[in-house]
């Protein structure tokens, strides 16, 4: 697999995944992670996540609403976490295969472009 850029991922659409295909091999996941450097691969290699500290509770909810709309468009849905009223975390995994797929990195790259009011 050759190096992929965030722009190349953003140009793609998440494909349907009903299982039956293996998750990405660790080296494939780390290669795609180069295009989404603010996301962290979990130690078990089964998901990626990113954390933000938002301005306030409403900023977190607004961000989640934007991410939810994007997820619906893509047909790929993240796990969204809001704790302490302004600690926002998004986790991506392809549940149907029990690990990471290209879809997770496509959506991560697109989420990176979603406006968010962070705490300064």
């Amino acid at each position: 697999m050759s190096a992929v850029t965030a722009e190349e991922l953003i140009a793609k659409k998440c494909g349907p995944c009903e299982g039956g295909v293996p998750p990405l091999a660790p080296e494939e996941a780390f290669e795609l992670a180069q295009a989404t450097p603010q996301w962290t691969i979990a130690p078990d290699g089964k998901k990626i996540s990113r954390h933000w500290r938002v301005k306030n509770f409403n900023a977190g909810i607004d961000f989640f609403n934007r991410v939810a709309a994007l997820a619906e468009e893509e047909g790929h849905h993240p796990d969204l976490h809001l704790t302490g009223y302004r600690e926002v975390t998004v986790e991506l995994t392809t549940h149907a295969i029990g690990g990471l797929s290209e879809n997770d990195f496509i959506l991560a790259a697109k989420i990176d472009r979603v406006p968010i009011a962070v705490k300064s």
Side-chain angles (χ1 to χ4, degrees):
M1 179 179 275
S2 62
V4 175
T5 67
E7 288 71 28
E8 290 171 323
L9 289 172
I10 290 166
K12 294 183 176 191
K13 176 124 174 88
C14 291
C17 184
E18 301 300 324
V21 296
L24 293 173
E27 57 274 1
E28 293 172 307
F30 284 108
E31 183 78 29
L32 287 168
Q34 300 298 315
T36 56
Q38 295 180 357
W39 292 76
T40 303
I41 298 178
D44 65 5
K46 294 185 178 187
K47 64 183 166 184
I48 57 174
S49 64
R50 182 167 176 200
H51 176 82
W52 297 262
R53 177 170 244 202
V54 294
K55 185 175 180 179
N56 55 40
F57 180 80
N58 284 332
I61 296 302
D62 179 59
F63 177 67
F64 281 169
N65 285 331
R66 292 171 192 258
V67 169
L70 174 61
E72 282 296 306
E73 287 174 23
E74 291 297 318
H76 191 63
H77 301 92
D79 295 332
L80 306 173
H81 305 274
L82 174 63
T83 56
Y85 80 89
R86 68 171 145 200
E87 301 297 326
V88 172
T89 302
V90 176
E91 294 178 332
L92 290 161
T93 188
T94 302
H95 297 284
I97 62 172
L100 291 169
S101 73
E102 184 181 46
N103 287 344
D104 299 306
F105 295 93
I106 291 169
L107 191 55
K110 291 181 180 191
I111 289 171
D112 281 345
R113 300 288 163 72
V114 173
I116 183 168
V118 295
K119 174 103 171 118
S120 50

